[in-house]
Amino acid sequence: MSRIDREDVERVARLARLRLSDEEAAEMTADLDRILGYVDLLEEVSTEGVEPTAHVIPLATPLRDDVPAEELPPEVAVANAPASEGTAFAVPKVLDDEAEG
Amino acid sequence: MPSPLGEVARLREALTSGETTSSRLVDAALAAAEAVGEDLSVFTHLRHEAAREAAAAADARLSAGRARSVLDGLPIALKDNIVQAGEPAGCASRILEGYVSPFDATAVARLLEAGAIPIGRTNMDEFAMGSSTENSVHGPTRNPWDRDRSPGGSSGGSAAAVAADIVPLALGSDTGGSIRQPASLCGVVGMKPTYGRVSRWGLVAFASSLDQIGPFAHTAADCAVLLDAMSGHDAHDSTSLPEPPLQTAAGLNGDLSGRVIGLPREYYEAEGADASSLECVHAAVAALEGAGAKTVPVSLPHTRYAIAAYYLIANAEASSNLARFDGVRYGHRAAGASGLTDLYERSRSEGFGAEVKRRILLGTYVLSAGYYDAYYRRAQKLRTLLRRDFEAAFESCDVLVTPTTPEPAFRLGERADDPLTMYLSDVYTVSANLAGLPGVSIPCGLAGGGLAAGLPVGLQVLGPPLADAAVLEVADAYQRLTDHHQARPGGSR
Amino acid sequence: MSFRPDYEVVIGLEVHVQLRTRTKLFSTAAVSYGDEPNHHTTPVCLALPGALPVLNGQAVELAVRAGIATNCEVHPRSIFARKNYFYPDLPKGYQISQFEEPLATGGWLDVEFEDEKGELTTKRVGITRIHMEEDAGKSLHDGSAVDSHIDLNRAGVPLIEIVSEPDMRSPAEAGAYLRKLRAILRTVEASDADMEKGQFRCDANVSLRRHGDTQLGTRTETKNVNSFRFVEAAIEAEVERQARCLDEGEEIRQATLGYDADADRLFVMRMKENADDYRYFPDPDLIPLVIEEARIEQIRAGLPELPDRRRARLADEHGLTAAEAAKLVASAALADFFESAVAAGAPARAAAHWLTREVAACLNERDLEIEATALVPDAFASLLELVETGRLTARSARELLPELLEGGGDPAALVSERGLEAVSDEGALEVLADEVLASNPKAIASYRDGDKKSLNFLMGQVMKKTQGKADPARVRQILAGKLDGS
């Protein structure tokens, strides 16, 4: 039984903003299916009542003072940009079906 | 009394006595990087002028008797995912082509402060995703011991740079073994510190809860010097431990008496492990016992689940960490995109290599609605069980000693089409990342027979959290007992 | 709701409030407004490779204040998570927010509003949760036909999102809730909540159901409405739209809407065909936010007087009506102004009366807060004193108000400058009264025939001659004296 099919891979690729060729999609589906098949190994272990570990640091997040520090000069901020206009980054016009969120 | 094995200490003496200069060291490193390094594809970028200028400045300080630290004037190599202001940080990816960082990683800033001189940036698996340094837009790095073999990865460039004696010191990053495994395969020392010891500020994130920067050198003593200089709390990293800088180098005394070394059964009984490598490891254990250490068998029962848990957690984090590479603010942007979605999809598809895409897809999938609990949360629970395994084991011992990898260096291309087999080669290293432990790999001989004859074998020393000094002490003591760290590609030094 | 009596309107509000900090939530870049693009960024704001977030302690403190002031339980441990989606104003490709374990939950506000009969009603609106998150940058769409421009000055500015229960049943209730919430947040100085600057932005979830239904109808979300007036108008428009759909037997479809205030029209931003898949997970760059109980109590103890308590105190100390006290504290600035004016000698009840009616009306017309005007409490107190002592009629005082609000100045000086002083010279009033009586014999006759209303007419004539500057009570007295022949 396959764990993941082509349609799943294409859905996930859209979420991740990756465009896959037919060949890539087929390969990725096969690879992910194998990897997820291996991962099923975890089902052997009873994890009931086990707290998940998100982090090994047993501390609280540090808090920073609310004091402004050095900022990037605007021309440095956009220095690596593939396209910019003044000190703003430029991207192709947002289309109607690409609205936020 | 510092360890007698320090290359840093030896070079320091040579610099102080005037036997050499920083400029000569840096020139030699750059020349070797161009000759040997190019042949092996070790570097992705060299800083000819900037490094020479820094060397001249260091020489001026040295002749005025104002050395900044023991590292002042020494050349070092940086993995291409550790940023330095004004330098490219490409992560061996097309998506970061042309990117120049405007800031220093904290680890780099501290080494610069100490006077160390980065001569260039080393090759790696793209975004540190891999165990062979083959997943690089610059092509694979070759193992100095056998150019048809992989140096391991993902920090293969840094391991090779030290193994080929291009530089005495290098930095790598370790998310699931990416320092220790290439150190093992290249016959050098590589250390992953306790999670939070070295700031991650300026380390391009692969898996934030697992990543650590660490040192490469020929000896544990030199790794200790680098670690001491880089470690210590950093307010730029919320996961940085609130600890002062380490002072491990000064504490290396070669004394093993009273040390209890745990030998985790699961690391010695793996199927398909190379017998000749295991012999080296057993010999090393015997040597440690001979010097006064006591060994005890321990068990880490969840070891067989570590790889699965690791790949779920690491790739889930990675899928999110790599979302910033979108062609908007920096890096590769596809030409002639029509609309945003097109821009994103084409830039990212052109910019990322196959392994990175595979991992982004896997990570996105396991976080997506309906799968989170089955995969991601379950993996996090396994992470808890793995941590408990170690906590229990460390109740009866100070450190663990294991093989670093199941086998010595494999042939380039051998596993390129088989991601799962590649993943499984990290079986002995990933647990330390999941549990946040310090670990070091040291050379413990050359494989004696079979297809891998004559290739270096690595011994891994793992400690409980914060026991960075202990693992370095055991590693250093072992190196004092043996001369495997003297072995060089093509014959002993 | 009177205009759709057949449906019950169910409204829940999500309010994004900008916390009053100097720097961003996870970066040391300054919080700014109206600056040139990308003039306030660090590697964190730009999501440069290798940059990491560090939490702003002041933002936490302000969020805790907001939680306490809205009667929430503030949790000693909360978790920052990543909300993953791609948009050019979201540089990391994810927003750091709180999801499974938010900072505060389970609060409420008692909201006062006028019901259909114009009576003051109080209603408790539940607050589901308050969580901290970072703002996005701005996409500027107007510069060019082919490009959008991205400015990340706002990226990472600290916000709290305050999510209400779906407890409101009319646009007026929603408006009252928002006013109350804003007043509280300003009182505890968690936020300036300047709506023009986008520091207090509201998303309204609206659904309709038949009376008696227990299931909620399908809801729509109207995004980012930035004034009280527009929220009420947008909800009203959406209620009307949904009601028309339901009348015609259509299904309501889940959608995200925008409100075009100029056209008073809703437009569809997008249809939600499928649930979003934001792939929330705990941000591995941040460990849990832990706030000691003692710290929470310390913050609680340090909070200024909250509007509900202040309302009770003002009513009690100064004998104000509940409605007046409620209106005063709806704006902390107005309540502060009231107390300053009283301290400067203004009679309290008159001050409350004037502030909640004449002054409030002027402010509403101009969409201003009292502190944004030129009127100061001292001047207001002396204006009231002029009225109380009969030197200025109420009518003249009303006329003077706009000028005082806009230009300030000393009321007494203005009154004499303009000749607005009330005609209080008895002799002059007697003369005027005699003149009016002489030219209105009919009115005198009907007064004497028992039509006492004629007195009002005569009074009006005298007042007219004084241009409204006489004390009406005194005029009435003089006229009555003359007519009754005493």
Side-chain angles (χ1 to χ4, degrees), chain C residues 206-404:
Chain C
V206 176
S207 65
L208 300 191
R209 64 181 169 192
R210 301 270 174 195
H211 286 286
D213 280 2
T214 47
Q215 287 245 318
L216 291 176
T218 305
R219 65 178 201 189
T220 60
E221 183 178 25
T222 304
K223 281 273 198 199
N224 277 336
V225 197
N226 63 356
S227 99
F228 295 130
R229 215 147 32 99
F230 294 163
V231 172
E232 293 185 40
I235 294 174
E236 221 148 301
E238 176 56 9
V239 168
E240 191 52 40
R241 188 190 70 82
Q242 288 191 20
R244 270 202 312 273
C245 282
L246 292 173
D247 285 348
E248 283 164 27
E250 284 175 33
E251 260 184 43
I252 304 295
R253 294 168 66 200
Q254 269 202 37
T256 304
L257 308 172
Y259 178 67
D260 177 351
D262 291 333
D264 183 23
R265 217 176 53 82
L266 294 158
F267 58 92
V268 176
M269 289 168 79
R270 67 187 183 119
M271 300 304 296
K272 292 193 173 183
E273 301 297 342
N274 299 305
D276 298 304
D277 196 342
Y278 291 125
R279 289 156 283 136
Y280 282 99
F281 74 108
D283 190 332
D285 286 330
L286 294 159
I287 39 190
L289 168 59
V290 175
I291 312 164
E292 305 286 333
E293 284 290 356
R295 178 72 189 124
I296 296 172
E297 288 318 307
Q298 194 184 16
I299 293 172
R300 188 190 305 278
L303 286 188
E305 185 181 39
L306 291 173
D308 281 350
R309 173 163 300 180
R310 189 175 201 187
R311 184 188 51 178
R313 178 175 62 78
L314 291 185
D316 193 45
E317 277 178 13
H318 302 293
L320 310 184
T321 68
E324 282 171 345
K327 280 184 186 163
L328 282 178
V329 301
S331 152
L334 199 63
D336 290 346
F337 189 93
F338 167 78
E339 297 207 80
S340 303
V342 171
R349 294 191 57 181
H353 183 94
W354 276 78
L355 284 173
T356 57
R357 286 176 182 78
E358 325 302 347
V359 175
C362 287
L363 293 174
N364 268 350
E365 251 168 54
R366 291 163 178 74
D367 214 2
L368 282 179
E369 286 281 344
I370 186 85
E371 76 264 37
T373 71
L375 182 65
V376 295
D378 278 356
F380 180 66
S382 60
L383 180 74
L384 293 186
E385 198 200 340
L386 290 172
V387 176
E388 289 285 307
T389 56
R391 288 175 58 209
L392 188 67
T393 63
R395 181 174 145 181
S396 300
R398 249 194 306 277
E399 279 170 16
L400 211 49
L401 252 186
E403 203 174 327
L404 287 168

Side-chain angles (χ1 to χ4, degrees), chain A residues 9-95:
Chain A
V9 170
E10 282 168 2
R11 173 181 61 85
V12 168
R14 273 193 302 278
L15 276 177
R17 297 296 185 275
L18 291 173
R19 188 173 298 171
L20 304 177
S21 67
D22 274 358
E23 198 184 329
E24 271 182 307
E27 265 175 45
M28 289 292 176
T29 306
D31 286 348
L32 294 193
D33 191 51
R34 255 191 88 207
I35 296 167
L36 291 169
Y38 172 72
V39 162
D40 281 350
L41 184 67
L42 297 187
E43 287 173 19
E44 288 176 9
V45 188
S46 163
T47 53
E48 211 171 291
V50 177
E51 277 294 305
T53 295
H55 231 289
V56 293
I57 300 258
L59 301 167
T61 206
L63 298 177
R64 163 176 70 73
D65 288 343
D66 186 26
V67 179
E70 197 188 346
E71 296 174 345
L72 290 170
E75 60 280 6
V76 173
V78 295
N80 279 297
S84 56
E85 175 69 40
T87 57
F89 300 101
V91 294
K93 199 107 187 145
V94 180
L95 303 177

Side-chain angles (χ1 to χ4, degrees), chain B residues 13-386:
Chain B
E13 250 181 62
L15 285 168
T16 311
S17 67
E19 185 189 317
T20 189
T21 64
S22 174
S23 296
R24 295 226 304 264
L25 294 177
V26 165
D27 280 344
L30 286 167
E34 284 200 304
V36 188
E38 214 153 282
D39 178 49
L40 301 175
S41 288
V42 172
F43 286 87
T44 64
H45 173 78
L46 289 173
R47 305 172 70 225
H48 291 280
E49 278 184 33
R52 289 198 172 103
E53 278 170 29
D59 283 329
R61 289 194 295 273
L62 298 179
S63 53
R66 288 204 309 269
R68 286 180 177 170
S69 80
V70 289
L71 291 169
D72 202 356
L74 299 188
I76 185 170
L78 302 179
K79 188 178 180 180
D80 200 21
N81 63 349
I82 303 169
V83 307
Q84 180 178 4
E87 301 295 331
C91 297
S93 180
R94 185 179 178 202
I95 208 152
L96 274 171
E97 68 186 5
Y99 177 72
V100 174
S101 177
F103 70 100
D104 281 330
T106 298
V108 172
R110 289 182 180 175
L111 293 180
L112 292 172
E113 189 60 34
I117 300 171
I119 64 152
R121 310 188 58 79
T122 60
N123 201 11
M124 55 187 280
D125 285 299
E126 184 178 2
F127 286 107
M129 294 178 175
S131 310
S132 67
T133 316
E134 289 171 295
N135 305 325
S136 165
V137 71
H138 308 287
T141 295
R142 294 168 179 279
N143 191 318
W145 290 82
D146 177 347
R147 58 193 313 285
D148 292 331
R149 291 184 188 259
S150 163
S154 64
S155 312
S158 285
V162 173
D165 279 324
I166 298 169
V167 282
L169 306 166
L171 294 192
S173 68
D174 191 317
T175 306
S178 278
I179 290 175
R180 290 160 291 153
Q181 185 255 18
S184 172
L185 270 49
C186 288
V188 299
V189 181
M191 189 207 182
K192 179 199 101 67
T194 299
Y195 185 85
R197 262 302 177 207
V198 177
S199 171
R200 293 186 299 112
W201 174 257
L203 170 64
V204 183
F206 161 15
S208 313
S209 77
L210 305 167
D211 296 341
Q212 268 295 284
I213 292 175
F216 284 99
H218 281 295
T219 63
D222 288 344
C223 283
V225 171
L226 267 188
L227 180 62
D228 291 355
M230 291 190 289
S231 62
H233 179 71
D234 176 22
H236 282 107
D237 174 3
S238 299
T239 61
S240 167
L241 293 169
E243 306 277 331
L246 285 166
Q247 297 188 320
T248 56
L252 302 177
N253 57 16
D255 186 6
L256 284 170
S257 54
R259 291 267 186 202
V260 183
I261 293 173
L263 304 175
R265 174 179 316 129
E266 294 78 6
Y267 286 59
Y268 288 86
E269 293 172 356
E271 275 172 51
D274 176 58
S276 148
S277 301
L278 261 183
E279 276 173 31
C280 293
V281 173
H282 285 301
V285 170
L288 292 166
E289 284 171 333
K294 191 183 151 208
T295 59
V296 294
V298 296
S299 174
L300 301 167
H302 293 93
T303 299
R304 78 189 228 94
Y305 308 107
I307 292 278
Y310 168 79
Y311 275 89
L312 292 174
I313 291 168
N315 294 330
E317 292 183 14
S319 70
S320 176
N321 281 333
L322 269 57
R324 65 185 59 194
F325 302 102
D326 59 5
V328 173
R329 297 164 314 285
Y330 46 78
H332 175 73
R333 176 185 287 197
S338 60
L340 262 185
T341 305
D342 195 43
L343 173 83
Y344 285 146
E345 291 190 349
R346 285 181 38 210
S347 300
R348 288 167 61 81
S349 298
E350 292 169 10
F352 291 134
E355 179 61 20
V356 172
K357 287 182 198 172
R358 191 178 292 122
R359 296 197 191 206
I360 290 175
L361 291 172
L362 179 66
T364 305
Y365 181 71
V366 303
L367 287 177
S368 69
Y371 299 98
Y372 184 92
D373 287 339
Y375 290 119
Y376 185 69
R377 202 186 297 273
R378 183 182 286 270
Q380 285 190 323
K381 290 181 172 185
L382 253 303
R383 192 173 183 183
T384 305
L385 296 174
L386 279 156

